[in-house]
Amino acid sequence: MARLTPRALSIAAIVAAAGLLTPLSAAQAKTGFTPGAPGAGDPYFPDMGNGGYDARHYSLSLSYDAGTKAIDAQATISATATQNLSRFDLDFLGPLKISKLKVDGQPAKFERTGAQELVITPPHGLHKGRSFTVDVAYSGVPQMIDDKALGISGWIQTHDGAVALSQPFGSATWYPVNDSTDDKATYDFTITVPKGLQALANGEPTGTHTHGSTTTYRWADRQPTASELVMVAIGHFDVKDTRTPSGLRNITAVDPTSVKSATASDDFNRATSDVIEWEQKLYGRYPFGSVGGINVLAPNVGYSLETQGRPVYARRSAGALPSADLLAHELGHQWFGDAVTPAQWKHIWLNEGFATYSEWLYSEQHGGQTAQQYFDQAYNSADTDWTGKVADPGRDHIFDDLTYTRAAMTIHQIRKAVGDKVFFQLIKAWPAEHRYGNATTAQFISFTEHFTHKNLDKLFKAWVYSEGKPAL
């Protein structure tokens, strides 16, 4: 589906802001009820997220038809109004058709407009501070997004099922959502699939039931989760449910067609355990109820994603399991990006820089190249792109090397400036301080300088806020 042009988006936003979609009643206008904003204010993605409420919990129930590839679903969103609301928006993108929508159990008016707006007008205004629920019944074949700059995301069909990979804006392709990094919520999932298939999601399994020709899998994600980190995987998997040496539940799944080794499932589970145990020593207590990973064959994808608690390693063709450094990267994200999530997308270097530096540290502490050697290679390489600002890469460059390697180099410069003892204390303290919340570049800099008792303004100006190759 083609995205609206910036001009079209601006027109849609102006119309929504002006209240032209559904006029306010005289009673609503008199009592000060106003529409929630149709965007969350992220300059990179102005149509993502919404204002006027705080989503607290999503209950997602879907049945998957292997023949048609369609889903028949219901989403129940529990939220709290943050203003006197006359109406509000959810993000909902693509061809899925809504058959019923209720607010607090009563039918509500709704329409779809703009790039991805589901505009909902409840029967009565919602007072600030009031909790309310939205029930949306919908069905159809969810779409896959293929963005020219940012690649594949959304609901992605695999050879025997589907996998939902939502970064940065794919969640709205398969459920109605306040699709903003700074409106985290808890989730539960009820996924019904044809007997013989399996379904995995974020969190922990809470029950499985087979009835006739279908099996229903239930999962509960009890820690706050950003929508871009929500995941569902449907297909044939070899699932291992074990405990790490520290007692952490470790649920891994391997699509047998994605690997060539007969011991792949055991090897994947063991490697995940080894890496997460090492990272807990570096970054502190693991922030979620379980860990794991999913290795899946998805010919359209070919990347890995730090979906909360259970990263997805998508393969275009059968091959080897994820390497230890890739595991270190995606599992490192559980602290940096998942437990602590950027308040806006321009701060993504706080995700990718630390995840990349996790790779460097894993190598350094397991007999490979040191972090300094990785830094020197990147600094001296003719392939390193020194254009752009780490702190503000631009919408089309959030997944560029700028936010990975150059961000990791910045973190290494911090390490050199403060010394190893303080640095390794810092990388435990930062994710603990902001656990389950959101953060900005300015907050990270302030925290770092306060924690280390050092003025690092010149370092951050050169490495984070400026273009070009910094002098050493």
Side-chain angles (χ1 to χ4, degrees):
M1 179 179 178
R3 298 180 65 84
L4 293 182
T5 65
R7 179 176 181 274
L9 285 172
S10 298
I11 292 172
I14 291 169
V15 170
L20 299 178
L21 294 173
T22 305
L24 297 181
S25 69
Q28 288 175 332
K30 185 176 180 180
T31 55
F33 288 87
T34 54
D42 193 313
Y44 290 4
F45 303 99
D47 51 323
M48 286 180 65
N50 304 283
Y53 64 94
D54 175 19
R56 311 303 291 270
H57 182 78
Y58 293 83
S59 183
L60 304 179
S61 178
L62 64 90
S63 295
Y64 171 75
D65 187 316
T68 64
K69 311 297 184 185
I71 60 172
D72 187 8
Q74 178 161 324
T76 299
I77 301 107
S78 302
T80 302
T82 57
Q83 67 182 63
N84 287 341
L85 276 175
S86 60
R87 69 163 186 263
F88 58 93
D89 291 15
L90 288 165
D91 298 299
F92 200 41
L93 178 64
L96 295 176
K97 302 297 184 184
I98 296 172
S99 58
K100 190 181 297 184
L101 193 152
K102 295 181 178 181
V103 176
D104 286 338
Q106 299 183 53
K109 295 179 181 179
F110 66 91
E111 56 185 315
R112 298 177 71 175
T113 186
Q116 58 185 55
E117 302 304 318
L118 170 57
V119 186
I120 301 168
T121 304
H124 308 285
L126 301 170
H127 286 278
K128 181 179 179 179
R130 176 183 167 180
S131 296
F132 64 96
T133 60
V134 185
D135 292 291
V136 187
Y138 59 98
S139 60
V141 180
Q143 78 172 67
M144 179 184 75
I145 295 173
D146 188 359
D147 185 88
K148 183 177 180 181
L150 303 178
I152 300 292
S153 64
W155 185 269
I156 300 161
Q157 294 184 16
T158 62
H159 67 100
D160 61 351
V163 61
L165 301 175
S166 298
Q167 194 179 86
F169 42 41
S171 286
T173 65
W174 63 281
Y175 70 100
V177 57
N178 192 28
D179 201 7
S180 172
T181 58
D182 65 352
D183 192 6
K184 296 184 176 184
T186 54
Y187 283 77
D188 65 74
F189 307 84
T190 302
I191 309 164
T192 300
V193 297
K195 187 177 178 180
L197 292 180
Q198 292 149 298
L200 299 103
N202 307 90
E204 292 73 58
T206 59
T208 302
H209 176 69
T210 297
H211 179 74
S213 62
T214 64
T215 301
T216 298
Y217 295 85
R218 291 181 171 85
W219 293 77
D221 180 12
R222 298 178 177 89
Q223 285 81 39
T225 306
S227 54
E228 44 114 357
L229 302 171
V230 175
M231 174 276 301
V232 162
I234 297 170
H236 294 96
F237 295 100
D238 185 359
V239 179
K240 299 293 180 184
D241 189 346
T242 65
R243 296 278 176 176
T244 70
S246 65
L248 181 63
R249 193 171 185 180
N250 179 23
I251 305 171
T252 55
V254 173
D255 173 357
T257 64
S258 68
V259 292
K260 297 178 180 179
S261 168
T263 62
S265 189
D266 288 327
D267 294 343
F268 183 45
N269 187 270
R270 188 181 307 110
T272 299
S273 175
D274 291 345
V275 171
I276 207 68
E277 291 290 280
W278 170 75
E279 287 187 329
Q280 287 196 94
K281 296 175 183 176
L282 274 184
Y283 303 136
R285 178 177 64 86
Y286 179 74
F288 305 118
S290 66
V291 73
I294 300 174
N295 198 78
V296 61
L297 188 64
N300 288 323
V301 185
Y303 64 79
S304 300
L305 186 63
E306 63 272 18
T307 44
Q308 186 158 303
R310 195 154 295 109
V312 173
Y313 306 88
R315 303 287 182 174
R316 286 197 175 97
S317 58
L321 287 167
S323 61
D325 61 339
L326 180 55
L327 292 174
H329 183 109
E330 302 304 339
L331 294 172
H333 269 305
Q334 304 307 305
W335 286 267
F336 304 99
D338 293 15
V340 185
T341 306
Q344 292 185 330
W345 282 101
K346 68 180 179 180
H347 308 296
I348 191 174
W349 78 276
L350 295 171
N351 294 18
E352 300 302 346
F354 275 105
T356 302
Y357 204 68
S358 296
E359 298 179 50
W360 295 8
L361 288 175
Y362 186 88
S363 173
E364 179 176 281
Q365 296 186 16
H366 290 82
Q369 286 192 165
T370 66
Q372 184 64 52
Q373 288 173 322
Y374 278 110
F375 177 95
D376 292 341
Q377 287 178 355
Y379 190 82
N380 295 319
S381 173
D383 295 328
T384 301
D385 183 0
W386 296 100
T387 59
K389 298 177 182 179
V390 170
D392 194 3
R395 185 262 191 205
D396 291 350
H397 303 286
I398 59 174
F399 299 141
D400 284 6
D401 197 51
L402 170 68
T403 62
Y404 289 72
T405 301
R406 278 178 56 188
M409 295 172 77
T410 301
I411 293 165
H412 188 68
Q413 288 297 95
I414 297 170
R415 178 183 176 183
K416 292 177 68 176
V418 304
D420 275 11
K421 181 179 178 179
V422 173
F423 174 79
F424 285 105
Q425 292 172 344
L426 170 69
I427 61 176
K428 277 187 178 179
W430 167 251
E433 175 74 13
H434 293 276
R435 180 171 291 176
Y436 307 136
N438 298 84
T440 66
T441 298
Q443 286 175 308
F444 175 72
I445 292 172
S446 177
F447 182 89
T448 299
E449 293 188 327
H450 182 266
F451 187 87
T452 63
H453 305 291
K454 283 185 176 289
N455 185 325
L456 302 173
D457 290 354
K458 289 183 178 179
L459 187 157
F460 285 113
K461 181 179 180 180
W463 286 91
V464 175
Y465 288 116
S466 301
E467 294 193 47
K469 185 176 183 177
L472 294 181

